[in-house]
Every structure is written in C-alpha cells, then in structure tokens.
Amino acid sequence: MGCMSMNSSSSLVVVLRVGPQVQATHPDCSIVLYFQEREDECLQAIRSESQTQSPGGQRGCRTAWDGVSCWPAMPVGQSYAVTCPDVPHIFKKSKALIHRNCTEVGWSPPSPPYYRACELEAVGSSNNTEAKRGYFITMKVLYTCGYSTSLAALFLAIGIFSCFRKLHCTRNSIHIHFFTSFILRGAAVLIKDAVLFSDESVDHCTMSTVKCKASIAFVQYSVLANFYWLLVEGMYLQTLLLLTFTSDRSYIWWYILIGWGVPMVTVCVWVATRLQYDNHGCWDDYSSPYWWVIKAPILLAIFVNFLIFLNVTRMLAQKIRSPDISKNYKQQYMRLTKSTLLLIPLFGVHYVVFALFPEHIGVDARLYFELVLGSYQGFLVALLYCFLNGEVQAEIKRNWGKWQSSMESNVFNMATQDFTA
C-alpha cells in the first residue's frame, strides 16, 4: 500500500481529478467513478486476502492499489503487467504494458511509468480552464433566469385559468397540469443546484448523500411528467377530433393517471434499481446503463406523440375540408392544434437526437439545449396555451371592461352623494 505515494501514479491521478472539479460535467464524473469502482474492487480483494492468509504464509507481495491499477498478490521473483486504464477521452488508445516486479522489499516502481506508457489526450491550458469556468457560470446564470421567467409565467397562467369561471373546462384543466409539470421541473433544477453546488469545497462527483439522490430523482420525475403531460395534450387533441359528440370529462382521470402515475411508477422502479445494483455517487452519472429505465419511457412517449402528430395532421385536414363542421368548431380545432402540433416536435426532436448519441458527444450543445433553451420551455408553453389564446384574451378583456364600468359607476355614485350632501 506504500506504492500510493509514488510520483508516477500520484501525478497521473492529480491530472485526472482536475477536470471534474472545474468542469463538473457528467462525462468527467464518470471518470472519477471509474477509478473509484476499480479502487473499491481492489480494496475488497485486499480485505479478502488479509482474512484468508495465514501469518506464516508464502512470502511475496500482497495485492496493492497504486491509485491507477490494482496489482494482485505475487510471489517473490515474479512480475505482473497491466494495460493503460480504459478511460475514453483521457487516455489515447495504447497497447503498451506497464510491468512491476515483486522483490524482497515489495513491489518495484511501474516500468515504464504511467505518464510515459499511457499517453493522455490533450489537456487544455489554464487559460482554457478559466474560459470553461466562465462559460459554465454564464450558462448557469442564463438557465436560472430562464427557469425564473418560466415559473413566473406559469404561475400567472394557472392563476388566469383558475380565476375565470368561463375558462373552467377539461381542456384548460389539462393545460394546468401541463403547466404544473413545468413548475416542478424548474423547481427541481433549482433545488438540485442548491443541493449539489452550494458548497464549492465539496466535489459533487463523489457526493453520495440521501439529499442529493432525492434531488436527482425529483428532477427525473419532473422531466418524465413533462413528456407524459405533453403526450396527454396530444391524446386529448386526438380524442377531441375523433369523438366530437362525446363528453371529454369522462377521460380526465385516465389523463391524470398517465400524466402523473406513469412517471411515478417509472421513477420508483429506477430508484429501486439504483439502490439494488448501482448505489454509487449521486445517481447523476448519465453513462450508467440504468438510465435507460428513465430514457426508454421518455422515448416511448415521444414516439407515440409522433404517431399522434401524423394522425392529427391527417384528421385535421379532413375536418377542415368537411362542410358538416361549423366555423366555431373549426376555430376551436385550429387554436388547440397549432399549439400542440408545434410543441410535439419542438420538445421531442432534440431529446431523441441526444439520447441516441454517447454522453461525451456534443457536451456543449447538449448542455445548451437541455439547460438554457429547456429553461424557457415553460414560458413558451404558457405563451402558446394561455397568453396568445384568443379565448383567454377575450375573457380578460370582458372582465377588464366590467371592472372599468364598475369603477366608473362607483366614482359616479360617490360624486352624486357628495353633491346631494
């Protein structure tokens, strides 16, 4: 175990740990977790060896972890060789072998040293590191402003739909649930930042607290709820076009079950899976294969929404051309259809593109789309379904006119009373 102080391995580990603390991106965290897993496996072997080996056992070198590789127990006079760590984007692919001999005094130094045998990928200069730090700070400011704007717009939209009785209907109830899912998403991201990044002295790559895992689970639930309430919007539009004369209130509980229930079941399965098989870190390592427990239902929702998109487009063309449909119904179809048909591809395309590529591909573009542009999605939804809704605008104007007439009447009455007095 004294080998951990050797310059060749220690300097290499220092290089590997600089990136995650500065950049704090998930691919970098996966590098730290990679070495943590290798170290845990090696320490487990060391503990097993110490329990089974008798005091007067065979002389030789015990299993040792040097910060990069695990060296198994060997008798004196034998050597062992390892390859460079298989960490993409840190080490260039190399067939070089690092040897160590077991001597009378213990393991010999690695030959050749890691820094010669395992060539590192180009590491940015300190200026580049500072530029990246500034880039991430700017991005955090942008998406914090975006989520704050979205939250304000969504609360206002929910207040409008709730206050005006004429706007109480199944369609607007679904919109309110959709808005609520975006409120949860914005709140979840801000809570996650507060939990993971409030203390700069803590490396979030190695954080593994109940609080941080709960915050990540909350984020995943809100994202799932987003996509499934968008699916409900598409399903409702299709039902409206298919069943013109059927009461849509009979379906509202099914919509609620899909929009909130399916994400809850999915997240519970994901949490149970992580607790059982991969309870490491803060559960934000997107390279984990268990992310497909979250990804697969989202991709399924996007695929079904795409089919609905095609079917609704076909049905809408038929409805618009039909002489049996009144002008008011055509306007109702067009209002809801324009908003929903815009959101389905807008919210789905980028997720499909990034879900099918490895996590290290296009990190900057991924962060920009998912954090910065994604933070304004709630504002866009409130704009399309509420603020630009002709029915909402007409109701606000009508109530504003009533309020003005009431105020004018009150002023006239007060003036009359003063005059008669």
Side-chain angles (χ1 to χ4, degrees):
M1 294 296 290
C3 298
M4 292 184 69
S5 61
M6 290 186 298
N7 294 334
S8 59
S9 60
S10 300
S11 60
L12 183 61
V13 175
V14 168
V15 171
L16 290 174
R17 289 185 181 271
V18 167
Q21 293 175 352
V22 173
Q23 299 179 20
T25 59
H26 295 301
D28 289 340
C29 284
S30 65
I31 296 165
V32 176
L33 293 175
Y34 171 87
F35 283 101
Q36 279 188 334
E37 290 173 2
R38 302 290 87 75
E39 182 178 9
D40 290 342
E41 292 171 1
C42 191
L43 294 178
Q44 180 63 36
I46 292 172
R47 284 192 291 268
S48 300
E49 181 182 302
S50 62
Q51 292 173 359
T52 57
Q53 192 172 23
S54 59
Q58 183 180 5
R59 292 169 55 249
C61 301
R62 294 188 176 186
T63 302
W65 169 256
D66 65 0
V68 179
S69 301
C70 188
W71 300 89
M74 283 286 162
V76 175
Q78 293 196 13
S79 65
Y80 189 78
V82 296
T83 58
C84 293
D86 184 19
V87 185
H89 320 297
I90 291 297
F91 294 105
K92 292 182 179 179
K93 288 192 174 182
S94 173
K95 296 182 179 178
L97 295 176
I98 300 97
H99 297 267
R100 292 182 74 180
N101 299 319
C102 180
T103 67
E104 292 285 348
V105 293
W107 286 105
S108 65
S111 178
Y114 286 110
Y115 63 86
R116 288 184 183 172
C118 307
E119 189 177 357
L120 293 170
E121 295 280 4
V123 179
S125 63
S126 59
N127 292 334
N128 188 37
T129 300
E130 288 301 318
K132 285 190 173 183
R133 184 192 295 272
Y135 168 76
F136 285 117
I137 291 173
T138 302
M139 183 170 291
K140 184 177 180 181
V141 170
L142 288 175
Y143 76 71
T144 301
C145 291
Y147 279 117
S148 300
T149 303
S150 293
L151 287 172
L154 290 165
F155 277 118
L156 179 59
I158 291 176
I160 290 172
F161 281 137
S162 301
C163 289
F164 299 116
R165 184 169 297 180
K166 196 173 180 181
L167 298 177
H168 292 182
C169 62
T170 301
R171 180 179 73 254
N172 291 338
S173 293
I174 292 174
H175 294 343
I176 289 174
H177 284 286
F178 195 26
F179 296 164
T180 304
S181 72
F182 276 100
I183 290 173
L184 289 180
R185 183 172 181 174
V189 170
L190 298 178
I191 290 171
K192 184 198 72 172
D193 283 355
V195 171
L196 267 66
F197 305 112
S198 58
D199 187 355
E200 293 186 359
S201 64
V202 177
D203 181 7
H204 87 276
C205 292
T206 58
M207 185 186 294
S208 186
T209 62
V210 174
K211 189 189 297 183
C212 78
K213 292 173 184 177
S215 68
I216 296 298
F218 184 34
V219 169
Q220 299 313 316
Y221 177 73
S222 64
V223 171
L224 279 160
N226 260 174
F227 281 100
Y228 274 86
W229 274 107
L230 179 59
L231 174 61
V232 168
E233 290 279 1
M235 292 170 63
Y236 173 76
L237 177 59
Q238 182 170 251
T239 303
L240 192 68
L241 293 171
L242 282 172
L243 308 174
T244 307
F245 303 106
T246 302
S247 172
D248 51 13
R249 288 186 176 275
S250 59
Y251 295 94
I252 187 65
W253 289 109
W254 286 106
Y255 294 146
I256 292 174
L257 188 63
I258 293 170
W260 297 121
V262 172
M264 179 61 71
V265 172
T266 302
V267 169
C268 287
V269 171
W270 177 71
V271 168
T273 304
R274 293 301 297 253
L275 287 172
Q276 183 68 28
Y277 302 107
D278 191 16
N279 192 18
H280 299 288
C282 199
W283 295 357
D284 61 341
D285 177 20
Y286 293 127
S287 63
S288 169
Y290 299 107
W291 273 113
W292 282 101
V293 177
I294 300 291
K295 281 184 180 180
I298 292 177
L299 292 173
L300 176 63
I302 292 172
F303 176 71
V304 173
N305 248 342
F306 180 69
L307 296 181
I308 291 174
F309 175 86
L310 297 177
N311 193 37
V312 165
T313 305
R314 178 188 62 81
M315 288 191 297
L316 186 66
Q318 295 175 350
K319 293 279 186 181
I320 296 300
R321 290 196 298 264
S322 175
D324 300 329
I325 303 297
S326 67
K327 186 177 180 180
N328 289 335
Y329 268 99
K330 288 181 180 180
Q331 289 178 348
Q332 179 185 359
Y333 292 143
M334 288 304 297
R335 278 200 307 265
L336 186 58
T337 301
K338 282 189 292 187
S339 300
T340 305
L341 292 188
L342 174 65
L343 292 177
I344 288 174
L346 186 65
F347 285 9
V349 170
H350 87 275
Y351 190 92
V352 172
V353 170
F354 288 127
L356 298 178
F357 284 95
E359 293 296 328
H360 61 271
I361 300 295
V363 172
D364 289 345
R366 186 191 301 270
L367 289 175
Y368 184 77
F369 273 95
E370 292 185 357
L371 292 179
V372 179
L373 293 184
S375 66
Y376 289 93
Q377 286 180 345
F379 174 76
L380 178 62
V381 167
L383 190 68
L384 289 173
Y385 281 128
C386 183
F387 304 139
L388 297 181
N389 187 327
E391 185 181 6
V392 172
Q393 292 173 352
E395 185 65 13
I396 291 175
K397 287 178 182 178
R398 188 177 70 83
N399 282 272
W400 175 254
K402 288 174 61 177
W403 182 80
Q404 281 186 318
S405 299
S406 175
M407 289 296 294
E408 290 173 359
S409 177
N410 290 337
V411 170
F412 177 77
N413 290 336
M414 289 174 63
T416 304
Q417 289 173 3
D418 290 340
F419 180 75
T420 56

